[in-house]
Amino acid sequence: MSNKPKIKIALIGLGRIAQKAYLPILANHSKVDPILCTRNNYTLNKLSNEYRIHKTCSSLDELILSKPDAAMVHSSTESHVLIIPKLLEAKIPVFVDKPLSYSQEESERILDIASKNKLPLYLGFNRRFAPLIKTLSEVPNPIQISWQKNRVDLAGNPRIFIFDDFIHVIDSLRFLGKGPIRNINVVSRVKDEKLENIQVQWQQGETLLLGGMNRISGITEEKIDFFSVGNKWVINNLNSGTHFTKEEENTLKFGDWESTLYKRGFVNMIEDWINVLEERSYNPESIEDIWETHHLCETILNKVLIS
C-alpha cells in the first residue's frame, strides 16, 4: 500500500458538469482528497453531505489560503479570466473545462501566466481519452476523418457556438489528424445573427479533416467516420461503433458494466490529470497545444463572420 499523501484537489464551481462528470470520479478516487468551493451555500452543503467531503470553501481567496495541490475550474467561461490567473499566480496547477476563454487575447494571457510560472495548465477535452477515439488515434496514416455533432433547436451567438460546443469537434479532429493545419475552408448558415450550421474542412499532412455541427437538427447525435487504407471505422456517440475491412464488419462495443463516464473519456482523462500532478510536470508543448485549438477556433469564427 502506498504511503503517499492524497492529492488535495479543489473543485471550483459545482454546476451540472462538475456534479455529473467529475465529482462521482474524484470523490471516490483513492489518490484524491477533494475540496469543494462555491459561493452557493445550499449546493456546498448538499454535495458535502452527499459525498462526505468535509473540506469546503465559499470563496476563491479562502481556497487559495488553504493551499490545495491543484484546482479544477468548472465555473462559467466568463469567470475563467478572473479565477485562473489568481490560481496560477498562487502556484496552483489548474484543470479547466473548455474553452479557456471566449477571447484569444485573454486565452493567451492565461497561457503566458502558466508558462511564466512553469505550472501545469490542463484543458478538459474528454474525447481525446474516450477509448474508441483513443484507439483511432493509434491508427497510422489516416486518409480522411469526418466528425459530425448535431443538436436540436440551439442556434446561437457564433462565438459561443464555436467556443463552447464546436470546439470539441475542432480539437478532436486536430488530435486525430496530427501535424500542421493548412487549406482551411468554412461554410456556415447564419440567420438573424445566430449560427445554425457549420461545416469546416482542412488538411493535416495527407489527412483530410471534415467537421460539422448542425444545431437546428432533428436529433442530438455525434458520429465519426475514420478511413485508412483498406479500413473504415464508424463511431456513434462515443459508445459504440463498427470496423469495416475487406467487406467484413466487426462490431465495437463495451462490456455491460462499463460506465458512461468511462466510455466518454472522463475516467481516463482524470487519471492523466492525476499523473500530471504526481509528476508536477510543466510541458510547454501542452501550452502550445491549447493555443493551437483556440487559435483554430478563432480562425474559423472569423471566416464565419466575414462570409
Side-chain angles (χ1 to χ4, degrees):
M1 224 176 139
S2 173
N3 292 321
K4 281 186 179 180
K6 289 188 176 184
I7 304 169
K8 295 183 291 182
I9 300 180
L11 286 84
I12 302 171
L14 300 173
R16 186 173 63 89
I17 185 67
Q19 293 185 39
K20 285 178 62 177
Y22 294 102
L23 256 178
I25 301 171
L26 291 164
N28 296 293
H29 201 290
S30 62
K31 293 183 177 181
V32 175
D33 184 10
I35 304 168
L36 303 181
C37 182
T38 178
R39 292 176 296 181
N40 187 318
N41 286 327
Y42 171 80
T43 300
L44 200 61
N45 292 330
K46 174 179 176 291
L47 296 176
S48 173
N49 290 330
E50 181 179 344
Y51 287 99
R52 299 181 182 180
I53 297 171
H54 304 297
K55 295 181 180 178
T56 64
C57 298
S58 57
S59 74
L60 183 62
D61 290 339
E62 181 188 357
L63 175 67
I64 289 172
L65 285 173
S66 75
K67 297 184 178 179
D69 297 312
M72 298 179 70
V73 179
H74 306 297
S75 57
S76 68
T77 299
E78 291 87 351
S79 72
H80 289 177
V81 71
L82 302 174
I83 294 172
I84 300 171
K86 279 190 174 183
L87 292 166
L88 293 172
E89 294 289 9
K91 311 298 184 187
I92 299 170
V94 174
F95 176 111
V96 59
D97 288 326
K98 55 75 196 165
L100 200 51
S101 168
Y102 291 129
S103 157
Q104 182 164 326
E105 182 180 346
E106 288 178 355
S107 294
E108 289 175 352
R109 183 163 77 85
I110 293 170
L111 292 169
D112 285 345
I113 294 170
S115 296
K116 182 187 74 174
N117 288 282
K118 291 187 165 40
L119 280 170
L121 178 61
Y122 196 110
L123 212 63
F125 286 123
N126 59 292
R127 282 158 180 76
R128 293 188 177 201
F129 296 90
L132 294 180
I133 303 306
K134 185 66 174 173
T135 298
L136 293 182
S137 74
E138 295 163 0
V139 175
N141 306 317
I143 297 170
Q144 179 177 311
I145 309 168
S146 172
W147 197 302
Q148 184 73 30
K149 189 171 185 281
N150 300 324
R151 293 181 179 271
V152 177
D153 195 25
L154 274 177
N157 173 282
R159 182 171 289 276
I160 294 173
F161 179 122
I162 289 171
F163 278 87
D164 263 355
D165 200 357
F166 193 49
I167 192 172
H168 272 308
V169 175
I170 294 168
D171 181 76
S172 299
L173 287 172
R174 264 199 67 240
F175 171 67
L176 291 174
K178 302 176 180 65
I181 292 166
R182 56 192 175 91
N183 300 330
I184 302 173
N185 184 51
V186 178
V187 178
S188 61
R189 173 186 167 101
V190 179
K191 296 290 183 183
D192 299 322
E193 299 183 347
K194 291 184 176 182
L195 182 56
E196 296 180 343
N197 180 47
I198 187 167
Q199 301 295 319
V200 179
Q201 174 182 302
W202 71 83
Q203 290 174 278
Q204 289 177 244
E206 295 184 352
T207 308
L208 175 63
L209 292 305
L210 302 104
M213 176 169 281
N214 183 336
R215 297 225 304 191
I216 52 169
S217 174
I219 186 172
T220 299
E221 62 181 349
E222 193 163 359
K223 182 184 176 187
I224 300 98
D225 291 316
F226 186 106
F227 299 86
S228 69
V229 174
N231 294 277
K232 177 186 178 181
W233 289 262
V234 178
I235 308 298
N236 293 304
N237 298 318
L238 304 179
N239 61 25
S240 64
T242 309
H243 175 214
F244 301 90
T245 183
K246 296 181 180 178
E247 300 292 350
E248 294 183 358
E249 182 176 327
N250 178 40
T251 300
L252 309 173
K253 59 183 180 180
F254 292 92
D256 293 339
W257 294 95
E258 297 290 5
S259 70
T260 298
L261 292 178
Y262 173 73
K263 294 173 189 175
R264 299 191 67 80
F266 286 97
V267 171
N268 289 339
M269 178 175 65
I270 288 174
E271 285 303 317
D272 188 62
W273 163 234
I274 289 170
N275 288 339
V276 169
L277 295 177
E278 287 182 322
E279 295 170 5
R280 189 75 179 193
S281 56
Y282 165 73
N283 183 356
E285 290 181 4
S286 69
I287 299 293
E288 179 68 20
D289 187 45
I290 293 171
W291 182 87
E292 287 285 354
T293 288
H294 285 71
H295 178 66
L296 182 53
C297 286
E298 191 72 32
T299 300
I300 290 168
L301 174 65
N302 289 334
K303 289 179 179 289
V304 169
L305 296 178
I306 64 173
S307 62

